Structure formats: C-alpha cells, structure tokens
Amino acid sequence: MSRTFSTTVPCPECGAELELEGYASVNADRHPELREAILDGSLQQFSCACGAGFRGAPEFSYLDAGRKQWIAVHPYSKLGTWAEHDAQAAQLFDEALGKLAGPAAQEIGEGISPRVVFGWGGLREKLLAQDHGLEDADLECLKLQLFKTNGLMPEAGQELRLTEVADGALRFALVEAENERALTGFEVPRAAYDEVVTQRDAYAQLREPILAGCFVDCQKLFLG
C-alpha cells in the first residue's frame, strides 16, 4: 500500500499555514497513477489561495516490483549527506525485501537493485531510464562524457538530468534541482548511450565507483 501523512507548512509566498497531504511510501504496483504523477510532475504539487504554486519535497520509499525498482527518495537538500543515506537505504531494503526479510518479502525483492535519489529530478530520471531500457550507471557515464564534449560543468544546485527519450534521441536538461527549472537543454542520439554500453571496459574506472552502493549518480564523484 501507498501511505500518506498530513502536515502543516507555510506558503512560500504569503506565509499562510496550509494543511497538506504528502507520501511516506509509494507502491506503484497498486497505484500506477502515482508513478504517472511522478513522471508528469504533479505528485505533491500544491497551490495556495494566494495563487502561489509549489511542490512539496519528496521523502518516501518507492516500490515497483513489476519493474524491479525500489528507491529511497530524499529531498535534494540532503544530497550533501548522500553517504549516510546510501548506507541507510541498503539497510532498509535488506530489512524490507532483502536478506533480513521473510521469505515472501524476499521473493518480491528478488532481482531488485536498491537505489537512493535526492530530489524529484533524480527520481523521475530513474523511472524514465527504466522505461526505455537505460542502465543508470551507463547513463551516468554518458553524462560525464557530455560534460567533457559539451563543456558543461553544473554549478552548485544544478544537475544534468535526462528529461525525455523519443525518436532515437535522449534529451537532457541542465536544471536547478530545488525548483526543477530547466536552464538549458539539448539532445544526443541514442547511439551515444549505446556506445558507452559497448565500451564499458573503457569506462570501468568511472563506472565502478558510480555503481557502488545505492546512490548511482555521477554527482558523488564530485561530492566526495
């Protein structure tokens, strides 16, 4: 089951106290509409009587057993402590669906590689990549290649995210992670990703540390 909770937060514009409902867990097998709401950006999107719109930061566990995905989702503001949350995610998965869980739960968790993400952009990217058969570690190696060939280097608070896959191309955007605002966008042919896959040995020194743990994101190479 997906679990919700109620909380009170001030409107970021007028300061009015708002009663909001957020998610503590999302089960996409039972509630596929929540997965679609993550992809279209509407989950935990709220509005105030003053006209201001805002999105509540994510803090929940995400399960889609059918697609073999389990993800611990945290606000982008916690990215700086990624190593701590990486370890917590591994422990939580082991207790819920892994080696410390009961036989029935382990059966559900079989074949799932747990992940942890920070912010809506990171979560949406994991779902989008899975939809199109993109391995996340290879996708992160492609990003590193794009940083080099396109002369990109995100500033603090910015991320390079996959936003769309269509017509044999991957579309990326440099975004402000907290508010999801796209700063610039570009696309590369799907063949660029396929080349990374076929040259995994050449990317091994980057791919192995990216793939280590639950936080599979090239940002950790810069964060330390």
Side-chain angles (χ1 to χ4, degrees):
M1 292 291 292
S2 298
R3 294 185 293 112
T4 62
F5 65 92
S6 295
T7 187
T8 301
V9 300
C11 170
E13 292 295 328
C14 71
E17 291 293 314
L18 304 175
E19 290 284 344
L20 306 179
E21 183 177 73
Y23 283 86
S25 66
V26 171
N27 186 317
D29 298 289
R30 297 187 178 184
H31 300 281
E33 73 279 4
L34 298 181
R35 183 178 185 276
E36 292 305 313
I38 292 169
L39 288 169
D40 68 24
S42 62
L43 191 67
Q44 291 189 186
Q45 187 74 47
F46 307 111
S47 60
C48 178
C50 75
F54 60 97
R55 195 173 190 187
E59 184 90 63
F60 54 79
S61 60
Y62 174 92
L63 173 65
D64 189 333
R67 292 181 173 87
K68 297 299 180 183
Q69 285 188 299
W70 181 94
I71 307 170
V73 188
H74 297 287
Y76 177 77
S77 61
K78 295 185 178 181
L79 177 63
T81 53
W82 70 266
E84 174 185 342
H85 294 291
D86 187 303
Q88 289 175 353
Q91 179 68 22
L92 182 59
F93 178 79
D94 281 346
E95 293 173 353
L97 299 172
K99 61 187 179 182
L100 301 179
Q106 286 192 35
E107 185 175 349
I108 294 172
E110 185 176 359
I112 295 179
S113 296
R115 294 290 186 257
V116 60
V117 299
F118 299 88
W120 291 110
L123 175 59
R124 184 181 186 278
E125 184 178 77
K126 294 296 185 192
L127 306 193
L128 187 62
Q130 195 281 339
D131 270 352
H132 295 278
L134 304 173
E135 293 287 342
D136 53 3
D138 295 319
L139 185 62
E140 296 303 314
C141 287
L142 175 59
K143 289 181 186 179
L144 292 173
Q145 183 63 30
L146 294 174
F147 291 156
K148 181 179 179 180
T149 57
N150 291 26
L152 288 173
M153 182 49 65
E155 299 177 1
Q158 298 177 357
E159 299 178 309
L160 184 64
R161 289 298 179 195
L162 178 71
T163 59
E164 187 178 1
V165 181
D167 301 323
L170 309 182
R171 172 155 281 274
F172 291 88
L174 186 65
V175 302
E176 292 182 346
E178 287 283 11
N179 58 27
E180 304 173 74
R181 184 171 72 90
L183 302 172
T184 185
F186 60 92
E187 66 179 39
V188 299
R190 170 72 183 245
Y193 167 84
D194 295 335
E195 185 176 356
V196 170
V197 175
T198 60
Q199 297 183 5
R200 280 178 176 168
D201 288 345
Y203 285 92
Q205 286 189 322
L206 295 173
R207 193 175 188 275
E208 289 177 9
I210 289 173
L211 194 55
C214 298
F215 183 41
V216 180
D217 193 305
C218 66
Q219 292 184 89
K220 68 184 180 183
L221 302 183
F222 307 106
L223 292 168

